[in-house]
Amino acid sequence: MSEMLPPGSTIGILGGGQLGRMLSVAASRLGLKTHIYEPGAAPPAGHVAEKVYTAPYEDEAALRAFAEGVDVVTYEFENIPTSALDLLESLRPIHPGRRALAISQDRILEKSFLNEIGLATAPWAEVTDAASLEAAIARIGTPGILKTTRLGYDGKGQARIMAPADAPAALAAMGGATAVLEGFIDFSAEVSVIAARGADGAVSCYDPGENVHKNGILHTTTVPAKLSEALRTDAVLIAARILNALGYVGVMGVELFVTPGGLIVNEIAPRVHNSGHWTQAGCTVDQFEQHIRAVAGWPLGDGARYADVEMLNLIGEDVARVPEFAREGRTQIHLYGKAEAKPGRKMGHINRVL
Amino acid sequence: MSEMLPPGSTIGILGGGQLGRMLSVAASRLGLKTHIYEPGAAPPAGHVAEKVYTAPYEDEAALRAFAEGVDVVTYEFENIPTSALDLLESLRPIHPGRRALAISQDRILEKSFLNEIGLATAPWAEVTDAASLEAAIARIGTPGILKTTRLGYDGKGQARIMAPADAPAALAAMGGATAVLEGFIDFSAEVSVIAARGADGAVSCYDPGENVHKNGILHTTTVPAKLSEALRTDAVLIAARILNALGYVGVMGVELFVTPGGLIVNEIAPRVHNSGHWTQAGCTVDQFEQHIRAVAGWPLGDGARYADVEMLNLIGEDVARVPEFAREGRTQIHLYGKAEAKPGRKMGHINRVL
């Protein structure tokens, strides 16, 4: 794709959650319409989109209608069934491309790719049975963490192995799925780089943010991250290397561990990322618009940071504190339009300009 | 209305143009849905709203359905037929209220109100026929400008009177409508104050912006306006006096002329205003969110200005320059999703951070 999609064009978004919602809003600023494809009822993105398709990813007729109504397809989450992608790809361009999706859907592919392009990850080994787990523990040692290679997020499909005796229970927790043993990393901080690559190959990275998790879910991201100048540059170079190696088009979230020996890649997400929400309050062009610009073939926008920001996620009942946040100076509120505040559910976030 | 509408509530917006579109986006940030009522087909706001009613303002059933689906009604333009307002008001709260609307729909009511609360306007006189025009010219002098009292905007329904001999032609141009003769004002600049008043009576004004018009249409607004500290304070006090006197709830645009004798009120608009679009790039909470907060009973947000900004309107074929603007640093693009770039049509704007 080398041409700018003209205003009036339509972006198809797979997934109708908060990321799709904020992508829709960003698209509207550029005069672009959005259609949402989402199996679940009443998707948050549907409140701000021109059209919503409510259908499973197995519904070929719905996928076809969706694709035919849009100019380009993108997505807000990476676990889209391959069959749906195959069909959509035969009808419309999909950005970011299939290779990035395949890599991010499979921890083994992801780590292999990262190591192949010269980037450090936690020590890891593929585990398919008791024997390969024993061999992995022998090589990597304990403590470690066993994770299913596919469909894990927010701490699910994971089991800690504090000592070799924990191995059988951890293996059982995988339920027969292929897994990966990762050695524990002695890190002082986790940082994210939100990186974008345009259809023209230009790369632009937002300033790294520092993440704090609570109960396995992102709690805050603060910019600037407390990083030396050298590590800050390293972080950006790592992200740029990944995007270039993939010929990537769109925004990617790259999570990095800060260790005494330098930066280690934790994981990558081929989409806009929770740890990039601060860009709404700190940059002329936020990560959502940057992603839309990239997938629509527009030049990337100006992502230079002009403010220090703390992003705080509102999880479950945190949303009851909105009246209090609404009275705070220098504070932006972003709510996702979800009806019910279930425990652990991301209901919104605030950006505090520091 | 003293309670905050909770997230998940719905704001009804009369009018589906760019102001309604940007109000919808702002509402989504607060977890609020929007329904749009618009007689014209394919309204720009419809791309980012949950629901669109396409019906004339005379359609009682449609108005009733619209009102019953929302929690509060607001509007993006002031020339709404009285009968529609009467019906809507019997069903749901309308903010800003009827008095502000009535005043802004009628130049004579507006000027009388402003003078009654002690604010200066251009010298003016009501004109209904040749005799009253002659008397008005005798009192105010020439040059002057004759305007219909209702439904005038962007230079329509207006005729200049450079000398008494122009009177008959100017009167004919009014087509029998009641008109007002305004004396010319010797002003050095036009500035706008975008002012907000919450349901709790709190008032918050954005920093005054300086407007430049081209062919009778707003061309640029620049903040800060070149004003002395004293005039800057005067501007804000004038706006606050107007909002308080009306018991206003929402955002208002107040246009002021800067004259050697001080500030003179040109006109007021009981809604978000083109000259306030710069707030999207210069403030934590922009004019659109501020308006939504007010009409939804939320506390007003932080409208302090943190950047110098120039807003440039994209009129008609200006929109062809978007590829160039998309490459500019520190530049935000806002396009309105209008299909056709007719001459004089507002297609979008850019905000340049200076």
Side-chain angles (χ1 to χ4, degrees):
Chain A
M1 190 165 73
S2 57
E3 300 226 332
M4 267 179 79
L5 276 187
S9 304
T10 303
I11 313 278
I13 301 176
L14 300 170
Q18 63 268 21
L19 301 180
R21 177 179 172 100
M22 293 184 279
L23 286 169
S24 280
V25 162
S28 82
R29 286 199 297 265
L30 303 180
L32 300 166
K33 292 178 272 195
T34 55
H35 291 180
I36 304 294
Y37 194 101
E38 163 66 52
H47 303 159
V48 285
E50 196 197 28
K51 200 161 179 177
V52 179
Y53 293 80
T54 304
Y57 282 114
E58 292 69 35
D59 185 336
E60 284 193 20
L63 286 169
R64 196 173 287 277
F66 167 74
E68 284 168 357
V70 304
D71 296 287
V72 62
V73 173
T74 189
Y75 43 88
E76 60 138 32
F77 81 124
E78 53 270 41
N79 290 314
I80 304 152
T82 302
S83 61
L85 292 168
D86 287 341
L87 175 59
L88 292 171
E89 203 176 40
S90 73
L91 298 166
R92 290 293 181 275
I94 302 184
H95 296 296
R98 291 296 291 276
R99 187 154 170 240
L101 259 178
I103 283 171
S104 68
Q105 285 178 342
D106 185 304
R107 293 183 198 279
I108 289 176
L109 285 184
E110 181 180 88
K111 290 171 195 300
S112 302
F113 161 73
L114 293 168
N115 295 161
E116 275 160 22
I117 64 168
L119 299 179
T121 60
W124 64 275
E126 184 172 345
V127 170
T128 53
D129 55 18
S132 55
L133 179 52
E134 192 183 341
I137 291 173
R139 182 159 71 77
I140 293 168
T142 55
I145 185 157
L146 193 65
K147 300 177 174 175
T148 54
T149 58
R150 297 179 69 87
L151 281 172
Y153 63 96
D154 285 349
K156 289 163 194 157
Q158 305 195 358
R160 291 189 181 210
I161 299 182
M162 301 310 288
D166 297 339
L171 191 63
M174 300 299 107
T178 300
V180 58
L181 180 68
E182 293 179 15
F184 263 123
I185 294 291
D186 175 26
F187 63 91
S188 57
E190 184 198 291
V191 300
S192 286
V193 178
I194 306 301
R197 187 170 176 278
D200 57 0
V203 171
S204 173
C205 296
Y206 291 97
D207 212 6
E210 189 162 335
N211 302 328
V212 173
H213 295 263
K214 217 164 132 177
N215 306 319
I217 301 174
L218 184 65
H219 177 55
T220 58
T221 300
T222 306
V223 282
K226 288 187 294 290
L227 282 178
S228 66
E229 243 346 285
L231 283 184
R232 188 179 307 276
T233 303
D234 276 352
V236 165
L237 290 176
I238 287 169
R241 194 188 300 183
I242 294 170
L243 270 63
N244 266 338
L246 292 170
Y248 193 84
V249 173
V251 162
M252 175 182 278
V254 178
E255 291 179 11
L256 302 163
F257 291 136
V258 182
T259 78
L263 298 173
I264 282 179
V265 183
N266 178 30
E267 62 180 28
I268 64 176
R271 52 170 169 78
V272 289
H273 197 261
N274 196 166
S275 65
H277 292 357
W278 67 267
T279 58
Q280 296 169 317
C283 305
T284 305
V285 169
D286 68 22
Q287 67 164 347
F288 302 99
E289 180 175 330
Q290 199 69 300
H291 185 78
I292 295 291
R293 282 174 171 247
V295 305
W298 288 42
L300 296 181
D302 184 347
R305 185 173 63 79
Y306 56 66
D308 295 357
V309 184
E310 182 196 70
M311 187 287 305
L312 169 70
N313 265 339
L314 306 182
I315 309 290
E317 285 302 330
D318 291 349
V319 76
R321 292 178 59 197
V322 163
E324 164 196 339
F325 297 134
R327 290 179 193 284
E328 275 185 24
R330 301 164 74 88
T331 295
Q332 269 184 356
I333 295 174
H334 294 267
L335 300 179
Y336 304 153
K338 296 180 184 176
E340 227 185 315
K342 294 181 195 162
R345 193 173 204 196
K346 291 177 179 172
M347 301 300 293
H349 67 273
I350 62 170
N351 288 319
R352 287 182 170 128
V353 177
L354 302 174
Chain B
M1 189 166 74
S2 56
E3 301 225 330
M4 265 178 81
L5 276 186
S9 303
T10 303
I11 313 279
I13 301 175
L14 300 170
Q18 62 267 20
L19 302 180
R21 179 179 172 100
M22 293 184 278
L23 287 168
S24 278
V25 162
S28 83
R29 288 199 297 265
L30 303 180
L32 301 166
K33 291 179 276 194
T34 54
H35 291 180
I36 303 295
Y37 194 101
E38 164 64 53
H47 303 159
V48 286
E50 198 197 28
K51 202 162 180 176
V52 179
Y53 293 80
T54 304
Y57 282 115
E58 292 69 36
D59 185 335
E60 282 193 21
L63 286 170
R64 194 174 289 278
F66 166 76
E68 283 168 358
V70 304
D71 297 287
V72 61
V73 173
T74 188
Y75 43 89
E76 60 140 33
F77 81 124
E78 53 269 41
N79 290 315
I80 305 153
T82 301
S83 60
L85 291 168
D86 287 341
L87 175 58
L88 292 170
E89 202 176 43
S90 72
L91 298 165
R92 289 294 181 274
I94 301 183
H95 297 295
R98 291 296 291 277
R99 186 154 172 239
L101 259 178
I103 284 171
S104 68
Q105 286 177 341
D106 185 305
R107 293 182 199 279
I108 289 176
L109 284 183
E110 182 182 89
K111 289 171 196 301
S112 302
F113 161 72
L114 292 168
N115 295 160
E116 275 160 21
I117 64 169
L119 300 179
T121 58
W124 63 276
E126 186 172 345
V127 170
T128 52
D129 54 18
S132 53
L133 178 54
E134 192 183 344
I137 292 173
R139 182 160 69 78
I140 294 168
T142 55
I145 185 158
L146 193 64
K147 300 177 175 176
T148 54
T149 57
R150 298 179 70 87
L151 281 173
Y153 62 97
D154 286 348
K156 290 163 195 157
Q158 305 195 357
R160 290 188 181 209
I161 299 182
M162 301 309 288
D166 298 339
L171 190 64
M174 301 298 106
T178 300
V180 57
L181 179 69
E182 294 178 14
F184 264 122
I185 292 291
D186 176 25
F187 62 93
S188 57
E190 184 199 290
V191 300
S192 285
V193 178
I194 306 300
R197 187 169 176 277
D200 57 1
V203 171
S204 173
C205 297
Y206 291 97
D207 211 6
E210 189 162 334
N211 303 329
V212 173
H213 295 261
K214 218 165 130 176
N215 306 320
I217 301 175
L218 184 64
H219 177 54
T220 58
T221 300
T222 306
V223 281
K226 289 186 294 292
L227 281 179
S228 67
E229 244 345 287
L231 283 185
R232 188 179 309 278
T233 303
D234 274 351
V236 164
L237 291 176
I238 287 170
R241 194 188 301 183
I242 294 169
L243 271 64
N244 267 338
L246 292 170
Y248 194 82
V249 173
V251 162
M252 175 182 279
V254 179
E255 291 179 10
L256 302 164
F257 290 135
V258 182
T259 78
L263 298 172
I264 282 181
V265 183
N266 177 30
E267 60 180 27
I268 64 176
R271 53 168 167 80
V272 289
H273 197 261
N274 195 165
S275 65
H277 293 357
W278 67 266
T279 59
Q280 296 170 316
C283 305
T284 304
V285 169
D286 68 22
Q287 68 164 345
F288 302 99
E289 180 173 331
Q290 198 70 298
H291 184 78
I292 295 291
R293 280 173 172 250
V295 303
W298 289 41
L300 295 181
D302 183 348
R305 185 173 63 81
Y306 56 66
D308 294 358
V309 184
E310 182 197 71
M311 188 285 305
L312 169 70
N313 265 341
L314 305 182
I315 308 291
E317 285 303 329
D318 292 349
V319 77
R321 292 179 60 198
V322 163
E324 165 198 336
F325 298 135
R327 291 179 194 283
E328 273 185 24
R330 303 164 73 89
T331 296
Q332 270 183 358
I333 295 173
H334 293 267
L335 299 180
Y336 304 153
K338 297 181 184 176
E340 227 185 315
K342 294 183 195 158
R345 194 173 201 194
K346 291 178 178 172
M347 301 300 293
H349 67 276
I350 62 170
N351 288 318
R352 288 183 170 126
V353 177
L354 303 174

